[in-house]
């Protein structure tokens, strides 16, 4: 069966520090991968999605970037965090067009 | 117009009653539609998928799709306090249907 791992679960980082969140999927190949952010009490904002290695689509221009160095690995990064980057970051995968997505446990990031 | 819209609520329903949640989408060519449930502090979990016009039932949940009117709804019968959560509608967007977009979610509270 397929599983998705996302870590860490919580993170407190100072303003201006770098960020790296990692997500890996097991039990499937060539998944679509997604990064979402959820502000407190709000919906899911799509940040990036990827349909293959090295293929990244950015939805919201900001100081975040994403990379997909391996088929089942998706990384969210920032060189310098802002206070507004605080939120609940969720990684998800699905198997292709028009298919349901499954989420990791999420990372709650607080920038102080 | 937002790609996927939901009434953010909160929606309050007495225990045992029917809860009705609605979602509209802007891309007339969309072919699949998903409902997720998200408990506070947790990641979303898939509860229903629907692909064809009409109703799809799964236990106490019924999804209804009307492509001509571009809306999809979720009915929860015999509502239980454990159904209190935020419900998110998701639609893959064209072209390619790889971009999975979520509505802002409807917060549902079931009152004992």
């Amino acid at each position: 069966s397929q599983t998705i791992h996302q870590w860490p679960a919580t993170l407190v980082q100072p303003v201006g520090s770098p960020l790296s969140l990692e997500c890996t999927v097991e039990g499937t190949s060539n998944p679509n991968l997604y990064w979402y952010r959820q502000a407190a009490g709000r919906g899911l904002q799509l940040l990036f999605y990827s349909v293959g290695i090295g293929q990244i689509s950015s939805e919201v221009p900001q100081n975040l970037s994403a990379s997909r160095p391996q088929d089942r690995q998706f990384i969210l990064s920032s060189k310098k965090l802002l206070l507004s980057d605080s939120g609940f970051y969720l990684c998800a995968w699905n198997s292709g067009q028009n298919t349901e997505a499954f989420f990791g446990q999420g990372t709650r990031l607080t920038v102080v | 117009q937002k790609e996927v819209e939901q009434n953010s609520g909160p929606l309050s329903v007495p225990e045992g009653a029917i809860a009705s949640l609605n979602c509209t989408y802007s891309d007339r060519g969309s072919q699949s539609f998903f409902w997720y449930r998200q408990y506070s502090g947790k990641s979303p979990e898939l509860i229903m998928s629907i692909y064809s016009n009409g109703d799809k039932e799964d236990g106490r949940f019924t999804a209804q799709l009307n492509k001509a009117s571009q809306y999809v709804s979720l009915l929860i019968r015999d509502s239980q306090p454990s159904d209190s959560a935020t419900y998110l509608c998701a639609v893959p967007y064209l072209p390619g249907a790889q971009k999975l977009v979520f509505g802002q979610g409807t917060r549902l509270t079931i009152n004992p």
Side-chain angles (χ1 to χ4, degrees), chain A residues 32 34 36 38 41-44 46 49 51 59 88 90 94 96-106 108, chain B residues 3 30-32 34 36 38 41-46 49 51 88 92 96-105:
Chain A
N32 291 338
Y34 302 85
Y36 293 89
Q38 187 174 38
R42 306 295 292 274
L44 299 183
L46 179 61
Y49 67 99
V51 301
E59 287 298 300
F88 191 37
L90 290 155
N94 65 13
Q97 297 180 2
N98 291 307
T99 59
E100 60 271 24
F102 300 94
F103 286 84
Q105 67 170 1
R108 189 160 303 280
Chain B
E3 293 164 310
S30 294
Q31 299 176 30
S32 56
F34 309 108
Y36 288 79
Q38 185 180 25
K42 302 296 184 181
S43 59
E45 57 178 328
L46 178 73
S49 306
Y51 304 92
L88 298 156
Q98 310 279 23
K99 173 182 163 182
L100 186 59
V101 179
F102 283 77
Q104 67 268 41

Side-chain angles (χ1 to χ4, degrees), chain A residues 60-103:
Chain A
V60 184
Q62 52 197 340
N63 69 322
L64 298 173
S65 62
S67 62
R68 184 170 177 172
Q70 300 181 43
D71 181 44
R72 291 169 290 175
Q73 183 186 30
F74 205 23
I75 298 172
L76 182 69
S77 304
S78 175
K79 292 182 179 178
K80 289 186 178 182
L81 284 169
L82 306 173
L83 287 175
S84 58
D85 291 323
S86 294
F88 191 37
Y89 287 80
L90 290 155
C91 181
W93 77 274
N94 65 13
S95 60
Q97 297 180 2
N98 291 307
T99 59
E100 60 271 24
F102 300 94
F103 286 84

Side-chain angles (χ1 to χ4, degrees), chain A residues 5-46:
Chain A
H5 303 280
Q6 185 183 345
W7 66 93
T10 60
L11 192 59
V12 179
Q13 291 284 97
V15 169
S17 64
L19 173 73
S20 180
L21 301 180
E22 188 167 341
C23 171
T24 60
V25 180
E26 296 178 354
T28 188
S29 59
N30 197 31
N32 291 338
L33 295 170
Y34 302 85
W35 279 112
Y36 293 89
R37 179 171 62 197
Q38 187 174 38
R42 306 295 292 274
L44 299 183
Q45 179 187 33
L46 179 61

